[in-house]
Amino acid sequence: MSLKVYVNGHFVPKDQAVISVYDHGFLYGDGVFEGVRVYNGRAFRLDEHLKRLYESAKTVALDMPFPPEEMKEKVLQTIRINGLQDAYVRLVVSRGRGDLGIDPRKCPEPTIVIIAESITLYPEELYEKGLKVVTVPTRRMHSEMVNPRVKSLNYLNNILAKVEGNHLGYPEVIMLNSEGYVVEGSADNIFIVRDGAVITPAPHLGILEGITRNAVMELARSLELDMREEVFTRHDLFNADECFLTGTAAELIPVVEVDGRKIGDGKPGPVTRRLWEAFKELRETTGTPVYEGDKGRASAD
Ligand code: PXG
């Protein structure tokens, strides 16, 4: 059975899920999106993802046609109609159809697309051995240009960084901001561990405040680790005891080398492992139940 995709109020087979070439999401990258994981029939931190989607929309002055509760129901319906237990959900809201000019006032209705697919996981080996990464020349956009806090359809900044990583033969890259501070990966947040403290770049530096990042920060605090949001440079990164990345797709993945410098002893560290175990526990035990009859199960979201 072909997957069904939600497009503007209708569920249509995957190969018929299309939008207009006049859609400003296509023409200009004008829109916002979210990526959500479903684990064992429960949507992980769905309310937080919806909150971020609505905040992104607000900042780009895109009027959502219905409230978050209704969007939540549509997301759950999309997962249900496809009978998925473990999934990756992509929720896209674009400015909608307009004319060839950039003016959003020419786009009367946003386009809403929800895709729920079974997920292809990263190879287990990457989690065991850790990633080797590089910093790249393309800097993360300044927050007064296109604010990185907005999860917009305009991903060229990150894609250019990714292209540089591909060219150099690395699976992920680390971006710096225009002042040279470490900010994030191309589609992941970054953490370092130094002298027992767990440190992640502060939001004002210009990052996407990841849902996974926030969950891992909560876990670190509940494990009574010294969790901090700070400003740090490549020097701090090279000299960290441990480093890892977080994101909806990657979850929590160790980094063992940056720009040819070994991090710590070049193996995933103990704090990274502890947080990874805690994250696995969290994803199995929380989340919004997707299916009826699952209401009694725990939901800490
Ligand atoms: N920073 C950026 C720039 C991102 O795009 C994250 C951090 C992590 O945020 P979450 O909320 O996922 O913990 C992202 C994640 C993918 C994919 O399929 C991920 C993202 C965007 C597009 C694709 O891995 N964003």
Side-chain angles (χ1 to χ4, degrees), residues 216-226 271 274-279:
V216 169
M217 284 178 58
E218 284 171 27
L219 290 172
R221 290 190 171 123
S222 73
L223 293 170
E224 297 188 344
L225 296 168
D226 178 11
V271 177
R274 250 179 107 189
L275 287 167
W276 176 221
E277 290 306 318
F279 184 81

Coordinates of all heavy atoms in Angstrom, one line a residue, residues 216-226 271 274-279:
V216 N 18.1 16.8 25.9 CA 19.4 16.4 26.4 C 19.8 17.3 27.6 O 20.4 16.9 28.6 CB 20.4 16.3 25.3 CG1 21.8 16.1 25.9 CG2 20.1 15.1 24.4
M217 N 19.6 18.6 27.4 CA 19.9 19.5 28.5 C 19.1 19.2 29.8 O 19.6 19.2 30.9 CB 19.6 21.0 28.1 CG 20.6 21.5 27.2 SD 20.3 23.2 26.6 CE 20.2 24.0 28.2
E218 N 17.8 18.8 29.6 CA 17.0 18.4 30.8 C 17.6 17.2 31.4 O 17.6 17.1 32.6 CB 15.6 18.2 30.4 CG 14.7 19.4 30.1 CD 13.4 19.1 29.5 OE1 12.9 17.9 29.7 OE2 12.9 19.9 28.7
L219 N 17.9 16.2 30.5 CA 18.5 15.0 31.1 C 19.8 15.2 31.8 O 20.0 14.7 32.9 CB 18.8 14.0 29.9 CG 17.5 13.4 29.2 CD1 17.9 12.6 28.0 CD2 16.7 12.5 30.2
A220 N 20.7 16.1 31.3 CA 21.9 16.4 32.0 C 21.7 16.9 33.3 O 22.3 16.6 34.3 CB 22.7 17.3 31.1
R221 N 20.7 17.8 33.4 CA 20.4 18.5 34.7 C 19.8 17.4 35.7 O 20.1 17.4 36.9 CB 19.4 19.7 34.5 CG 20.2 20.8 33.8 CD 19.4 22.1 33.8 NE 20.4 23.1 33.3 CZ 20.2 23.9 32.3 NH1 19.1 23.8 31.6 NH2 21.1 24.8 31.9
S222 N 18.9 16.5 35.1 CA 18.3 15.5 36.0 C 19.4 14.5 36.5 O 19.2 13.9 37.6 CB 17.1 14.8 35.4 OG 17.6 14.0 34.4
L223 N 20.5 14.4 35.8 CA 21.6 13.5 36.2 C 22.6 14.3 37.1 O 23.7 13.8 37.4 CB 22.3 12.9 35.0 CG 21.5 11.9 34.2 CD1 22.3 11.6 32.9 CD2 21.3 10.7 35.0
E224 N 22.2 15.6 37.4 CA 23.0 16.5 38.2 C 24.3 16.8 37.6 O 25.3 17.0 38.4 CB 23.1 15.9 39.7 CG 21.7 15.9 40.3 CD 21.6 15.6 41.8 OE1 22.6 15.2 42.3 OE2 20.6 15.9 42.3
L225 N 24.4 16.8 36.3 CA 25.6 17.3 35.6 C 25.6 18.8 35.6 O 24.5 19.4 35.7 CB 25.6 16.7 34.2 CG 25.8 15.2 34.1 CD1 25.5 14.7 32.7 CD2 27.1 14.7 34.6
D226 N 26.7 19.4 35.5 CA 26.9 20.8 35.4 C 26.6 21.3 34.0 O 27.5 21.3 33.1 CB 28.3 21.2 35.9 CG 28.6 22.7 35.8 OD1 27.6 23.5 35.6 OD2 29.7 23.0 36.0
V271 N 30.5 10.5 29.6 CA 29.3 11.4 29.8 C 28.4 11.3 28.6 O 27.1 11.2 28.7 CB 29.7 12.9 30.1 CG1 28.5 13.8 30.2 CG2 30.6 13.0 31.3
R274 N 26.5 8.1 28.9 CA 25.4 8.2 30.0 C 24.2 9.0 29.4 O 23.0 8.6 29.6 CB 25.9 9.0 31.2 CG 26.1 8.2 32.4 CD 26.7 9.0 33.5 NE 25.7 9.3 34.5 CZ 25.9 10.2 35.5 NH1 27.0 10.9 35.6 NH2 24.9 10.4 36.4
L275 N 24.5 10.1 28.7 CA 23.4 10.9 28.2 C 22.6 10.1 27.1 O 21.4 10.2 26.9 CB 23.9 12.2 27.7 CG 24.2 13.2 28.8 CD1 25.0 14.4 28.3 CD2 23.0 13.7 29.6
W276 N 23.4 9.3 26.3 CA 22.8 8.6 25.2 C 21.9 7.5 25.8 O 20.7 7.3 25.3 CB 23.9 8.0 24.3 CG 23.5 7.0 23.2 CD1 24.2 5.9 22.9 CD2 22.5 7.2 22.3 NE1 23.6 5.3 21.8 CE2 22.5 6.0 21.4 CE3 21.5 8.1 22.1 CZ2 21.6 5.9 20.4 CZ3 20.5 7.9 21.0 CH2 20.6 6.8 20.2
E277 N 22.3 6.8 26.9 CA 21.4 5.8 27.5 C 20.2 6.5 28.1 O 19.1 6.0 27.9 CB 22.2 5.1 28.7 CG 23.3 4.2 28.2 CD 22.8 3.1 27.2 OE1 21.8 2.6 27.4 OE2 23.6 2.9 26.2
A278 N 20.4 7.7 28.7 CA 19.2 8.4 29.3 C 18.3 8.8 28.2 O 17.0 8.8 28.4 CB 19.7 9.6 30.1
F279 N 18.8 9.2 27.0 CA 17.9 9.7 25.9 C 17.1 8.5 25.4 O 15.9 8.6 25.1 CB 18.8 10.3 24.8 CG 17.9 10.8 23.7 CD1 17.3 12.0 23.8 CD2 17.7 10.1 22.6 CE1 16.4 12.5 22.8 CE2 16.8 10.5 21.6 CZ 16.2 11.8 21.7

